[in-house]
Amino acid sequence: MRLSPPLLQLASVVMLFLTPGRITCFTAQISKHLSRPSPKHRWLPKIQTRLFSSSGDGDNIIPITVLSGFLGSGKTSLLQHMLLRNEGKKIAVIVNDVASVNVDSKLVRGQIVSTDGGESQQSDNNATPAGIVELQNGCACCSISGELLSSVSELMTLSDLRQEDEKFDHIVIEMSGVAEPRSVRNIFQEAMMYNMPLLDRVRLDTLVTVVDCSTYMDYLKSKRLADVDESPELFYRNEQERKRAEDEDDNDWMEGSYDKSLGGGVCDLIVEQTEVADVVLLNKMDLLPGKLVDVEELVVALNPRAKVLATQFGKVDNLDEILACTKGQGVAIDGVVDDHKDFVKAADASNCSDPNCTDASHGHSHSHSHASHSSDKSTTICTDPDCSDDSHSHEHSHNHSPEEPIICTDPDCSDETHSHEHSHSHSAEKTTHAGIGTYVYRARRPFHPTRLISVLQHLPVVRGVPKKDNSVMNDSDAQVFKKVLRSKGFTWIADSNVKANYWSHSGSSFELQCLGRWWATLPQDLWPDEARDSILSDFDVADHTEENAAAGSNVSVGDRRQEIVFIGPGLGSADSQTKVESVLDSCLLNDEEWDDFCSKWSNEAALQNAYENTLNTRMLTY
């Protein structure tokens, strides 16, 4: 269904001015009238109108599911399972190499066009586009030819040539092991923004990530780069495959070769594949006896939005659990800000212990994932000690036995059977079986860059933070930061009053990203109407004006803020959260520095001189 009149699409073009040792960025606002509603810009807040699910005739839209995951995680096994047991669905699959799927020859029909230019086999008179294998059960398998959307278009052409009852019901795209799902999502969002006709017929629906349970924790803690030299197993299955690829690169030297380096770490890649997903399959669960719950709980902490299923050999009993399961309402239509808001909401909910809380965003019903501890069916892992649902597994709930002392937080309690050891806690401890907790740090003053860097040096990172150790932190506080597995969120640094920075730390990597300008620095008539409420929800006061702030009267800061999510062992405890808060509070500008900062409110050059920032900043240009 189209919306009328057309929306005013707000696009942000980020421009850089490089000065010695500094980066100044600003956002030029460009408004475009489009002939149909376009997806929100990827760093705009979530727009309530779900554009991807509302364009075109819903009955004729073919949903697309994308499979991500490292090489060897089990994506190909999952594809084989889909093609052999397709439950009557006519599935078209796009892969890097048709031969790698190893489809049973008894299923093949029609023309098989070899990817190496060899002769094709013909079993009937129906021609098919190059690189496509048609199967007897109505499915098809296609090699990616050039651009991803070109391959999708080829499959749509093939579907049009079929009889009405043989047209494709679904398209599945298997990405390479080093593919970034966020980039795939961006391709489809840009196609929608530019009004590509193909998007009237297909919809990116569900993003699925397959992880190898037996290697997940090792990759998350890896310090290696995700390139062919340090991590060849991400690119090649064996040495022979690597040698063949290198020979092909040598033969194609005139056309240039593919740069097999992502620039980031292995940990960055596996975290992105985990976080940007609607469904996460914990594959090879049989190789991790007794420890599956640890991986599961870490995955849930990294991506609380996802459905989590445990599998063996890539087998999913019900394909509806992964194929088009979001109905166009999942992460495919989200952006950076949407991802952040969802994670913050989940972290706040996990730390809420108020029995009288009525905040609908805080989930007080017992939460669960859908991980399976059986190869036959999915069971729900439940940690609610009072749950009586027979369909829920309580195997890993680890409730206190009657013999264990009851932890009591009542300061006036005189019951000797109650343990008062932790009665000083500020909130109930929220940790999982694996000890994974989350915490959101918030503040409305900027960080002093020098003091911030001294804290960042205590994260377990080897990339992205200056090496010089000028830090003064006690051992107890330092241990909390060394255990952080993931931290991310908006951050305000005193070298700029304009840049909306994003703190992104995964495992051994840290990166400071610039998303553009804070919304407070832009006139409200340039805000997209559909996102106005969401933008204002991040303001300290709704009537904030830059004029009053610059004049020093009733200083409010708009949406400028520290809002950083921390994930790691022990971070559910009040003690660890207090330590994180105290350390980061010490990085904020003190009262004297704040007065100085406010006096330079509209002078970016003065702020850069007064608060030199040696952290490298990467502009997000999408």
Side-chain angles (χ1 to χ4, degrees), residues 113-196:
V113 181
S114 62
T115 56
D116 59 2
E119 294 184 358
S120 61
Q121 303 172 14
Q122 184 79 31
S123 63
D124 62 26
N125 295 323
N126 295 326
T128 61
I132 293 182
V133 175
E134 286 202 78
L135 307 181
Q136 295 284 5
N137 61 5
C139 298
C141 197
C142 166
S143 288
I144 292 178
S145 58
E147 296 294 331
L148 175 60
L149 293 179
S150 297
S151 297
V152 174
S153 182
E154 284 187 4
L155 285 176
M156 293 305 299
T157 300
L158 175 60
S159 184
D160 290 340
L161 295 173
R162 291 179 159 206
Q163 298 294 326
E164 191 65 33
D165 60 349
E166 292 187 351
K167 295 184 183 300
F168 295 134
D169 303 313
H170 204 99
I171 295 175
V172 175
I173 302 173
E174 181 199 22
M175 305 308 299
S176 71
V178 293
E180 299 168 314
R182 187 173 284 117
S183 297
V184 178
R185 177 173 73 178
N186 294 346
I187 289 173
F188 282 89
Q189 290 184 352
E190 287 173 356
M192 192 74 172
M193 184 174 70
Y194 290 111
N195 202 23
M196 183 177 287

Coordinates of all heavy atoms in Angstrom, one line a residue, residues 113-196:
V113 N 24.2 -24.1 -15.8 CA 25.2 -23.3 -16.5 C 26.4 -23.3 -15.6 O 26.3 -22.7 -14.5 CB 24.7 -21.9 -16.9 CG1 25.8 -21.2 -17.6 CG2 23.5 -22.0 -17.7
S114 N 27.5 -23.8 -15.9 CA 28.7 -23.9 -15.1 C 29.2 -22.5 -14.9 O 29.2 -21.7 -15.8 CB 29.7 -24.8 -15.7 OG 30.2 -24.3 -16.9
T115 N 29.8 -22.3 -13.7 CA 30.3 -20.9 -13.4 C 31.7 -20.7 -14.0 O 32.2 -19.6 -13.9 CB 30.4 -20.8 -11.8 OG1 31.2 -21.8 -11.3 CG2 29.0 -20.8 -11.2
D116 N 32.3 -21.8 -14.5 CA 33.7 -21.6 -15.0 C 33.7 -21.5 -16.5 O 34.7 -21.6 -17.2 CB 34.6 -22.7 -14.6 CG 34.1 -24.1 -15.1 OD1 33.0 -24.1 -15.7 OD2 34.7 -25.1 -14.7
G117 N 32.5 -21.3 -17.1 CA 32.4 -21.1 -18.6 C 32.3 -22.4 -19.3 O 32.3 -22.4 -20.6
G118 N 32.2 -23.5 -18.6 CA 32.1 -24.8 -19.3 C 30.7 -25.0 -19.9 O 29.8 -24.2 -19.8
E119 N 30.6 -26.1 -20.6 CA 29.3 -26.4 -21.3 C 28.2 -26.7 -20.3 O 28.4 -27.3 -19.2 CB 29.4 -27.6 -22.3 CG 30.4 -27.3 -23.4 CD 30.4 -28.4 -24.4 OE1 29.7 -29.4 -24.1 OE2 31.1 -28.3 -25.4
S120 N 27.0 -26.3 -20.6 CA 25.9 -26.6 -19.7 C 25.2 -27.9 -20.0 O 25.3 -28.4 -21.1 CB 24.9 -25.4 -19.8 OG 24.4 -25.3 -21.1
Q121 N 24.5 -28.4 -19.1 CA 23.7 -29.6 -19.3 C 22.3 -29.2 -19.5 O 21.8 -28.3 -18.8 CB 23.8 -30.5 -18.0 CG 25.2 -30.9 -17.7 CD 25.3 -31.6 -16.4 OE1 24.3 -32.1 -15.9 NE2 26.5 -31.7 -15.9
Q122 N 21.5 -29.9 -20.3 CA 20.2 -29.5 -20.6 C 19.3 -30.8 -20.5 O 19.5 -31.8 -21.1 CB 20.1 -29.0 -22.1 CG 18.7 -28.5 -22.4 CD 18.4 -27.1 -21.9 OE1 19.3 -26.3 -21.7 NE2 17.2 -26.9 -21.5
S123 N 18.3 -30.7 -19.7 CA 17.4 -31.8 -19.5 C 16.0 -31.5 -20.0 O 15.1 -32.4 -20.0 CB 17.3 -32.3 -18.0 OG 16.8 -31.3 -17.2
D124 N 15.7 -30.2 -20.3 CA 14.5 -29.9 -20.9 C 14.7 -28.6 -21.8 O 15.8 -28.2 -21.9 CB 13.3 -29.7 -20.0 CG 13.6 -28.6 -19.0 OD1 14.3 -27.7 -19.3 OD2 13.0 -28.7 -17.9
N125 N 13.7 -28.1 -22.3 CA 13.8 -27.0 -23.3 C 13.7 -25.6 -22.6 O 13.7 -24.6 -23.3 CB 12.8 -27.1 -24.4 CG 13.1 -28.4 -25.2 OD1 14.2 -28.7 -25.5 ND2 12.0 -29.0 -25.7
N126 N 13.5 -25.6 -21.3 CA 13.3 -24.3 -20.7 C 14.7 -23.7 -20.4 O 15.5 -24.2 -19.6 CB 12.5 -24.5 -19.4 CG 11.1 -24.9 -19.6 OD1 10.5 -24.5 -20.6 ND2 10.6 -25.8 -18.7
A127 N 15.0 -22.6 -21.0 CA 16.3 -21.9 -20.7 C 16.2 -21.1 -19.4 O 15.1 -20.6 -19.0 CB 16.6 -20.9 -21.8
T128 N 17.3 -21.1 -18.7 CA 17.4 -20.3 -17.4 C 18.6 -19.4 -17.5 O 19.5 -19.6 -18.2 CB 17.5 -21.3 -16.2 OG1 18.8 -22.0 -16.4 CG2 16.4 -22.2 -16.1
P129 N 18.5 -18.3 -16.7 CA 19.7 -17.4 -16.7 C 20.9 -18.1 -16.2 O 20.9 -19.1 -15.6 CB 19.2 -16.3 -15.7 CG 17.7 -16.4 -15.7 CD 17.4 -17.8 -15.9
A130 N 22.1 -17.5 -16.6 CA 23.4 -18.1 -16.3 C 23.6 -18.3 -14.8 O 23.2 -17.4 -14.0 CB 24.5 -17.2 -16.9
G131 N 24.1 -19.4 -14.5 CA 24.5 -19.7 -13.1 C 23.4 -20.2 -12.2 O 23.5 -20.3 -11.0
I132 N 22.2 -20.5 -12.8 CA 21.1 -21.0 -12.1 C 20.8 -22.5 -12.3 O 20.8 -23.0 -13.4 CB 19.8 -20.2 -12.4 CG1 20.0 -18.7 -12.0 CG2 18.6 -20.8 -11.8 CD1 18.7 -17.9 -12.3
V133 N 20.6 -23.2 -11.2 CA 20.3 -24.6 -11.2 C 18.8 -24.7 -10.8 O 18.4 -24.2 -9.7 CB 21.1 -25.4 -10.2 CG1 20.7 -26.8 -10.2 CG2 22.6 -25.3 -10.7
E134 N 18.0 -25.3 -11.6 CA 16.6 -25.5 -11.2 C 16.4 -26.9 -10.7 O 17.0 -27.9 -11.2 CB 15.7 -25.3 -12.5 CG 15.5 -23.9 -12.8 CD 14.2 -23.7 -13.6 OE1 13.1 -23.6 -13.0 OE2 14.3 -23.5 -14.9
L135 N 15.6 -27.0 -9.7 CA 15.4 -28.3 -9.0 C 14.0 -28.8 -9.3 O 13.0 -28.1 -9.5 CB 15.6 -28.2 -7.5 CG 17.0 -27.6 -7.1 CD1 17.1 -27.5 -5.6 CD2 18.1 -28.4 -7.7
Q136 N 13.8 -30.2 -9.2 CA 12.5 -30.8 -9.5 C 11.5 -30.4 -8.5 O 10.3 -30.4 -8.8 CB 12.7 -32.3 -9.4 CG 13.6 -32.9 -10.5 CD 12.9 -32.9 -11.9 OE1 11.8 -32.5 -12.1 NE2 13.6 -33.5 -12.9
N137 N 11.9 -30.0 -7.3 CA 10.9 -29.7 -6.3 C 10.4 -28.2 -6.3 O 9.7 -27.7 -5.4 CB 11.4 -30.0 -4.9 CG 12.6 -29.2 -4.5 OD1 13.1 -28.3 -5.3 ND2 13.2 -29.5 -3.4
G138 N 10.8 -27.5 -7.4 CA 10.3 -26.2 -7.6 C 11.3 -25.1 -7.1 O 11.1 -23.9 -7.4
C139 N 12.4 -25.5 -6.5 CA 13.4 -24.6 -6.0 C 14.4 -24.3 -7.1 O 14.4 -24.9 -8.1 CB 14.1 -25.1 -4.7 SG 12.9 -25.4 -3.3
A140 N 15.3 -23.3 -6.8 CA 16.3 -23.0 -7.7 C 17.5 -22.5 -6.9 O 17.4 -21.9 -5.8 CB 15.9 -22.0 -8.7
C141 N 18.7 -22.6 -7.5 CA 20.0 -22.2 -6.9 C 20.7 -21.4 -7.9 O 20.9 -21.8 -9.0 CB 20.8 -23.4 -6.4 SG 22.0 -23.0 -5.2
C142 N 21.2 -20.2 -7.4 CA 21.8 -19.2 -8.4 C 23.1 -18.7 -7.8 O 23.1 -18.4 -6.6 CB 20.8 -18.1 -8.6 SG 21.5 -16.6 -9.4
S143 N 24.1 -18.6 -8.6 CA 25.4 -17.9 -8.2 C 25.2 -16.4 -8.3 O 24.6 -15.9 -9.2 CB 26.5 -18.4 -9.1 OG 26.9 -19.7 -8.8
I144 N 25.8 -15.7 -7.3 CA 25.8 -14.3 -7.4 C 26.5 -13.8 -8.6 O 27.7 -14.1 -8.8 CB 26.4 -13.7 -6.1 CG1 25.6 -14.0 -4.9 CG2 26.6 -12.2 -6.2 CD1 26.1 -13.5 -3.6
S145 N 25.9 -13.0 -9.4 CA 26.5 -12.5 -10.6 C 26.6 -11.0 -10.5 O 25.6 -10.3 -10.6 CB 25.7 -12.9 -11.9 OG 24.3 -12.4 -11.8
G146 N 27.8 -10.5 -10.3 CA 28.0 -9.1 -10.2 C 27.3 -8.6 -9.0 O 27.5 -9.1 -7.9
E147 N 26.5 -7.5 -9.1 CA 25.8 -6.9 -8.0 C 24.7 -7.9 -7.4 O 24.1 -8.6 -8.2 CB 25.2 -5.6 -8.4 CG 26.2 -4.5 -8.8 CD 27.1 -4.1 -7.6 OE1 26.6 -4.2 -6.4 OE2 28.2 -3.8 -7.8
L148 N 24.5 -7.8 -6.1 CA 23.5 -8.6 -5.5 C 22.1 -8.4 -6.0 O 21.4 -9.4 -6.3 CB 23.5 -8.3 -4.0 CG 22.5 -9.1 -3.1 CD1 22.6 -10.6 -3.2 CD2 22.6 -8.6 -1.7
L149 N 21.8 -7.2 -6.2 CA 20.4 -6.9 -6.7 C 20.2 -7.4 -8.2 O 19.1 -7.7 -8.6 CB 20.1 -5.4 -6.7 CG 20.0 -4.8 -5.2 CD1 19.8 -3.3 -5.3 CD2 19.0 -5.5 -4.4
S150 N 21.3 -7.5 -8.9 CA 21.2 -8.0 -10.3 C 20.8 -9.5 -10.2 O 20.0 -10.0 -11.0 CB 22.6 -7.9 -11.0 OG 22.9 -6.5 -11.2
S151 N 21.4 -10.2 -9.3 CA 21.1 -11.6 -9.1 C 19.6 -11.8 -8.7 O 18.9 -12.7 -9.2 CB 22.0 -12.3 -8.1 OG 23.3 -12.3 -8.5
V152 N 19.1 -10.9 -7.8 CA 17.7 -11.0 -7.4 C 16.8 -10.7 -8.6 O 15.8 -11.4 -8.8 CB 17.5 -9.9 -6.3 CG1 16.0 -9.9 -6.0 CG2 18.2 -10.3 -5.0
S153 N 17.2 -9.7 -9.4 CA 16.5 -9.4 -10.6 C 16.4 -10.6 -11.6 O 15.4 -10.9 -12.2 CB 17.1 -8.2 -11.3 OG 16.3 -7.8 -12.4
E154 N 17.5 -11.3 -11.7 CA 17.6 -12.5 -12.6 C 16.6 -13.6 -12.1 O 15.9 -14.2 -12.9 CB 19.0 -13.1 -12.7 CG 19.9 -12.3 -13.5 CD 21.3 -13.0 -13.7 OE1 21.4 -14.1 -13.2 OE2 22.2 -12.5 -14.3
L155 N 16.5 -13.8 -10.8 CA 15.6 -14.7 -10.3 C 14.2 -14.3 -10.5 O 13.3 -15.2 -10.7 CB 15.9 -15.0 -8.8 CG 17.1 -15.8 -8.5 CD1 17.3 -15.8 -6.9 CD2 17.0 -17.2 -9.0
M156 N 13.9 -13.0 -10.4 CA 12.5 -12.6 -10.6 C 12.1 -12.8 -12.1 O 11.0 -13.2 -12.4 CB 12.4 -11.1 -10.3 CG 12.6 -10.8 -8.8 SD 11.4 -11.7 -7.8 CE 9.8 -11.2 -8.4
T157 N 13.1 -12.6 -13.0 CA 12.9 -12.9 -14.4 C 12.5 -14.4 -14.6 O 11.6 -14.8 -15.3 CB 14.1 -12.5 -15.3 OG1 14.3 -11.1 -15.1 CG2 13.8 -12.9 -16.8
L158 N 13.3 -15.3 -14.0 CA 13.0 -16.7 -14.1 C 11.7 -17.0 -13.5 O 10.9 -17.8 -14.1 CB 14.1 -17.5 -13.3 CG 13.9 -19.0 -13.2 CD1 13.9 -19.6 -14.6 CD2 15.1 -19.6 -12.4
S159 N 11.3 -16.4 -12.4 CA 10.0 -16.7 -11.8 C 8.9 -16.3 -12.7 O 7.9 -17.0 -12.8 CB 9.9 -15.9 -10.5 OG 8.7 -16.2 -9.8
D160 N 9.1 -15.2 -13.5 CA 8.0 -14.7 -14.4 C 7.8 -15.7 -15.5 O 6.7 -15.8 -16.1 CB 8.4 -13.3 -15.0 CG 8.3 -12.2 -13.9 OD1 7.7 -12.4 -12.9 OD2 9.0 -11.2 -14.1
L161 N 8.9 -16.4 -15.9 CA 8.8 -17.4 -17.0 C 8.1 -18.7 -16.6 O 7.8 -19.5 -17.4 CB 10.2 -17.7 -17.5 CG 11.0 -16.6 -18.2 CD1 12.4 -17.0 -18.5 CD2 10.3 -16.1 -19.4
R162 N 7.9 -18.9 -15.3 CA 7.3 -20.1 -14.8 C 5.8 -20.0 -14.8 O 5.2 -18.9 -14.9 CB 7.7 -20.4 -13.4 CG 9.2 -20.7 -13.3 CD 9.6 -21.0 -11.8 NE 10.8 -21.8 -11.7 CZ 11.1 -22.5 -10.6 NH1 10.2 -22.6 -9.6 NH2 12.2 -23.3 -10.6
Q163 N 5.2 -21.2 -14.7 CA 3.7 -21.3 -14.6 C 3.3 -20.6 -13.3 O 4.1 -20.5 -12.3 CB 3.2 -22.7 -14.6 CG 3.5 -23.4 -15.9 CD 2.8 -22.9 -17.1 OE1 1.6 -22.4 -16.9 NE2 3.4 -22.9 -18.3
E164 N 2.1 -20.2 -13.2 CA 1.6 -19.4 -12.0 C 1.8 -20.2 -10.7 O 2.2 -19.6 -9.7 CB 0.1 -19.1 -12.2 CG -0.4 -18.1 -11.1 CD 0.2 -16.7 -11.3 OE1 0.6 -16.4 -12.4 OE2 0.4 -16.1 -10.2
D165 N 1.6 -21.5 -10.7 CA 1.8 -22.3 -9.5 C 3.2 -22.7 -9.3 O 3.5 -23.5 -8.3 CB 0.9 -23.5 -9.6 CG 1.2 -24.5 -10.7 OD1 1.9 -24.0 -11.6 OD2 0.7 -25.6 -10.8
E166 N 4.1 -22.3 -10.1 CA 5.5 -22.6 -9.9 C 6.4 -21.4 -9.6 O 7.6 -21.5 -9.5 CB 6.1 -23.4 -11.2 CG 5.5 -24.7 -11.4 CD 6.2 -25.5 -12.6 OE1 7.0 -24.8 -13.3 OE2 5.9 -26.7 -12.7
K167 N 5.8 -20.3 -9.6 CA 6.6 -19.1 -9.3 C 7.1 -19.2 -7.9 O 6.6 -19.8 -7.0 CB 5.7 -17.8 -9.4 CG 5.2 -17.6 -10.8 CD 4.4 -16.3 -10.9 CE 3.8 -16.1 -12.3 NZ 4.9 -16.0 -13.3
F168 N 8.3 -18.5 -7.6 CA 9.0 -18.6 -6.4 C 8.1 -18.0 -5.2 O 7.5 -16.9 -5.4 CB 10.3 -17.8 -6.4 CG 11.3 -18.5 -7.4 CD1 12.0 -17.7 -8.3 CD2 11.5 -19.8 -7.4 CE1 12.9 -18.3 -9.2 CE2 12.4 -20.4 -8.3 CZ 13.1 -19.6 -9.2
D169 N 8.2 -18.6 -4.1 CA 7.6 -18.1 -2.9 C 8.5 -17.3 -2.0 O 8.1 -16.5 -1.2 CB 7.0 -19.3 -2.0 CG 6.1 -20.2 -2.8 OD1 5.2 -19.6 -3.4 OD2 6.2 -21.4 -2.7
H170 N 9.8 -17.6 -2.2 CA 10.8 -17.0 -1.3 C 12.2 -17.0 -2.0 O 12.5 -17.9 -2.8 CB 10.9 -17.9 0.0 CG 11.4 -17.1 1.1 ND1 10.6 -16.6 2.1 CD2 12.6 -16.8 1.5 CE1 11.3 -16.0 3.0 NE2 12.6 -16.1 2.7
I171 N 13.0 -16.0 -1.6 CA 14.4 -16.0 -2.0 C 15.3 -16.0 -0.8 O 15.0 -15.3 0.2 CB 14.7 -14.7 -2.8 CG1 13.9 -14.7 -4.1 CG2 16.2 -14.5 -3.1 CD1 14.0 -13.4 -5.0
V172 N 16.3 -16.9 -0.8 CA 17.2 -16.9 0.3 C 18.6 -16.6 -0.3 O 19.0 -17.1 -1.3 CB 17.3 -18.4 0.9 CG1 18.4 -18.4 1.9 CG2 16.0 -18.7 1.5
I173 N 19.3 -15.7 0.4 CA 20.6 -15.2 0.0 C 21.6 -15.7 1.0 O 21.6 -15.3 2.2 CB 20.7 -13.7 -0.2 CG1 19.7 -13.2 -1.2 CG2 22.1 -13.3 -0.6 CD1 19.6 -11.7 -1.2
E174 N 22.6 -16.5 0.5 CA 23.7 -17.0 1.4 C 24.9 -16.1 1.2 O 25.4 -16.1 0.1 CB 24.1 -18.4 1.2 CG 25.2 -18.9 2.1 CD 25.9 -20.1 1.6 OE1 25.9 -20.4 0.4 OE2 26.6 -20.8 2.4
M175 N 25.2 -15.3 2.2 CA 26.4 -14.4 2.1 C 27.7 -15.2 2.3 O 27.7 -16.2 2.9 CB 26.2 -13.2 3.0 CG 24.9 -12.5 2.8 SD 24.6 -11.9 1.1 CE 26.1 -10.9 0.8
S176 N 28.8 -14.6 1.9 CA 30.1 -15.2 2.3 C 30.3 -15.1 3.8 O 29.7 -14.4 4.5 CB 31.2 -14.5 1.5 OG 31.4 -13.2 2.0
G177 N 31.3 -15.8 4.2 CA 31.6 -15.9 5.7 C 32.0 -14.5 6.2 O 31.9 -14.3 7.4
V178 N 32.6 -13.6 5.4 CA 33.1 -12.3 5.9 C 32.1 -11.2 5.5 O 32.4 -10.0 5.7 CB 34.5 -12.0 5.4 CG1 35.5 -13.0 5.9 CG2 34.5 -12.0 3.8
A179 N 30.9 -11.5 5.1 CA 29.9 -10.5 4.7 C 29.4 -9.8 6.0 O 29.2 -10.4 7.0 CB 28.8 -11.1 3.9
E180 N 29.2 -8.5 5.8 CA 28.6 -7.7 6.9 C 27.1 -7.5 6.7 O 26.7 -6.9 5.7 CB 29.3 -6.4 7.0 CG 30.8 -6.5 7.3 CD 31.6 -5.2 7.1 OE1 31.3 -4.6 6.0 OE2 32.4 -4.9 7.9
P181 N 26.3 -8.1 7.5 CA 24.8 -8.0 7.3 C 24.3 -6.5 7.2 O 23.3 -6.2 6.6 CB 24.2 -8.8 8.4 CG 25.3 -8.9 9.5 CD 26.6 -8.9 8.7
R182 N 25.0 -5.6 8.0 CA 24.6 -4.2 7.9 C 24.7 -3.6 6.5 O 23.9 -2.8 6.1 CB 25.4 -3.4 9.0 CG 24.9 -2.0 9.1 CD 25.6 -1.3 10.2 NE 25.1 -1.7 11.5 CZ 25.9 -2.3 12.5 NH1 27.1 -2.6 12.2 NH2 25.3 -2.6 13.6
S183 N 25.8 -4.1 5.8 CA 26.0 -3.6 4.5 C 24.9 -4.1 3.5 O 24.5 -3.4 2.6 CB 27.4 -4.0 4.0 OG 28.4 -3.5 4.7
V184 N 24.5 -5.4 3.7 CA 23.4 -6.0 2.9 C 22.2 -5.2 3.1 O 21.4 -4.8 2.2 CB 23.3 -7.4 3.2 CG1 22.1 -8.0 2.4 CG2 24.6 -8.2 2.9
R185 N 21.9 -4.9 4.4 CA 20.7 -4.1 4.7 C 20.7 -2.8 4.1 O 19.7 -2.3 3.5 CB 20.6 -4.0 6.3 CG 19.5 -3.1 6.8 CD 19.4 -3.2 8.3 NE 20.4 -2.4 8.9 CZ 20.5 -2.3 10.3 NH1 19.6 -2.9 11.1 NH2 21.5 -1.6 10.8
N186 N 21.9 -2.1 4.0 CA 22.0 -0.8 3.4 C 21.7 -0.9 1.9 O 21.2 0.1 1.4 CB 23.4 -0.3 3.7 CG 23.7 0.0 5.1 OD1 22.8 0.0 5.9 ND2 25.0 0.2 5.5
I187 N 22.2 -1.9 1.3 CA 21.9 -2.1 -0.2 C 20.4 -2.0 -0.5 O 20.0 -1.3 -1.4 CB 22.5 -3.4 -0.7 CG1 24.1 -3.3 -0.7 CG2 22.0 -3.7 -2.1 CD1 24.7 -4.7 -1.0
F188 N 19.7 -2.7 0.3 CA 18.2 -2.7 0.0 C 17.6 -1.4 0.4 O 16.6 -0.9 -0.2 CB 17.6 -3.9 0.8 CG 17.8 -5.2 0.1 CD1 18.9 -6.0 0.3 CD2 16.9 -5.7 -0.9 CE1 19.1 -7.2 -0.3 CE2 17.0 -6.9 -1.5 CZ 18.1 -7.7 -1.3
Q189 N 18.0 -0.8 1.5 CA 17.5 0.5 1.9 C 17.8 1.6 0.9 O 16.9 2.4 0.6 CB 18.0 0.9 3.3 CG 17.5 0.0 4.4 CD 17.9 0.4 5.8 OE1 18.8 1.3 6.0 NE2 17.4 -0.2 6.8
E190 N 19.0 1.5 0.4 CA 19.3 2.5 -0.7 C 18.5 2.3 -1.9 O 18.0 3.3 -2.6 CB 20.8 2.5 -1.0 CG 21.6 3.1 0.1 CD 23.1 2.9 -0.1 OE1 23.5 2.2 -1.1 OE2 23.9 3.4 0.7
A191 N 18.3 1.0 -2.3 CA 17.4 0.7 -3.5 C 16.0 1.3 -3.3 O 15.4 1.8 -4.2 CB 17.4 -0.8 -3.7
M192 N 15.5 1.1 -2.0 CA 14.2 1.7 -1.7 C 14.2 3.2 -1.8 O 13.3 3.8 -2.3 CB 13.8 1.2 -0.3 CG 12.3 1.4 0.0 SD 11.3 0.3 -0.8 CE 9.7 0.6 0.0
M193 N 15.2 3.8 -1.3 CA 15.3 5.3 -1.2 C 15.4 5.8 -2.7 O 14.8 6.9 -2.9 CB 16.6 5.7 -0.5 CG 16.7 7.2 -0.3 SD 18.0 7.7 0.7 CE 19.4 7.3 -0.3
Y194 N 16.0 5.1 -3.6 CA 16.1 5.6 -4.9 C 15.0 5.0 -5.8 O 15.1 5.1 -7.1 CB 17.5 5.2 -5.5 CG 18.6 6.0 -4.9 CD1 19.6 5.4 -4.1 CD2 18.7 7.4 -5.1 CE1 20.6 6.2 -3.5 CE2 19.7 8.2 -4.5 CZ 20.6 7.6 -3.7 OH 21.6 8.3 -3.1
N195 N 14.0 4.5 -5.2 CA 12.8 4.1 -5.9 C 13.0 3.1 -7.0 O 12.5 3.1 -8.1 CB 12.2 5.4 -6.6 CG 10.7 5.2 -6.9 OD1 10.0 4.4 -6.3 ND2 10.2 6.0 -7.8
M196 N 13.9 2.1 -6.7 CA 14.2 1.0 -7.7 C 12.9 0.1 -7.9 O 12.4 -0.4 -6.9 CB 15.3 0.2 -7.2 CG 15.7 -0.9 -8.1 SD 17.2 -1.9 -7.6 CE 18.5 -0.6 -7.8

